[in-house]
């Protein structure tokens, strides 16, 4: 799990790369954790060209729908627009588990409404909620 705390008015997509940089995938036995997950499932907010290029460079498969404006612009270019990115609907449906997990973290209420003024305290609240959920 990776957590990046930002100001409330900041968008999610610019935090995509810092969040993925902090991910550690555990291994069996004494092996060190991997920094590269096999697949990334996300909603269309993360389906930008920049994010897809980043995932291609790291060799991570992406399941995120294409934005309607990107589809329109690609079609407007005709054959120069390139091929649409692959999209697996069945795999995308499995992403609901992430949303459910985030909603379960919000359940105690301290995380859903940000009462803490300091980002450090809010991050600690999120981590305690995650540990509590894990246990």
């Amino acid at each position: 799990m990776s957590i990046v705390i930002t100001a409330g008015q900041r968008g999610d997509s610019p935090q995509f790369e810092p969040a993925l940089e902090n991910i550690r995938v555990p291994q069996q036995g004494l092996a060190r954790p991997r920094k590269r997950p096999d697949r990334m499932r996300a909603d269309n907010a993360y389906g930008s060209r920049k994010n897809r290029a980043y995932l291609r460079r790291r060799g991570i498969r992406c399941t995120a729908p294409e934005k309607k404006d990107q589809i329109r612009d690609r079609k407007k270019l005709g054959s120069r627009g390139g091929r649409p990115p692959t999209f697996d609907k069945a795999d995308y449906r499995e992403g609901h588990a992430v949303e459910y997990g985030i909603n379960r973290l919000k359940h105690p209420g301290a995380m859903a409404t940000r009462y803490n003024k300091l980002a450090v305290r809010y991050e600690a609240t999120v981590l305690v909620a995650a540990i509590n959920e894990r246990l």
Side-chain angles (χ1 to χ4, degrees):
M1 185 161 121
S2 175
I3 298 172
V4 178
I5 304 293
T6 62
Q9 69 273 16
R10 298 285 306 267
D12 292 343
S13 190
Q15 310 316 315
F16 179 73
E17 289 182 28
L20 274 180
E21 292 295 327
N22 294 332
I23 288 180
R24 301 293 179 261
V25 180
Q27 296 284 338
Q28 294 286 334
L30 298 174
R32 67 179 182 195
R34 291 186 300 128
K35 291 184 172 184
R36 186 177 62 86
D38 295 328
R39 175 175 295 280
M40 192 272 314
R41 292 182 186 118
D43 59 3
N44 58 358
Y46 297 98
S48 70
R49 288 186 187 103
K50 180 183 174 190
N51 291 344
R52 289 182 191 275
Y54 173 76
L55 291 170
R56 268 194 304 275
R57 278 194 313 270
R58 291 197 56 199
I60 301 171
R61 292 181 307 190
C62 176
T63 302
E66 200 175 11
K67 291 182 180 180
K68 290 182 181 180
D69 62 334
Q70 288 177 345
I71 293 171
R72 184 188 64 236
D73 293 344
R74 184 176 36 77
K75 286 183 177 180
K76 195 175 4 175
L77 290 173
S79 61
R80 292 184 332 233
R83 198 174 357 176
T86 58
F87 179 69
D88 184 4
K89 281 187 179 183
D91 186 53
Y92 182 67
R93 286 190 196 113
E94 296 298 320
H96 74 282
V98 174
E99 296 296 330
Y100 287 162
I102 290 172
N103 288 336
R104 287 178 68 124
L105 289 177
K106 291 179 181 180
H107 179 68
M111 193 183 114
T113 56
R114 187 170 174 174
Y115 294 121
N116 300 315
K117 298 294 182 192
L118 297 176
V120 174
R121 288 187 186 151
Y122 183 70
E123 185 175 9
T125 304
V126 172
L127 291 174
V128 168
I131 291 168
N132 190 26
E133 184 61 36
R134 177 72 177 177
L135 293 176

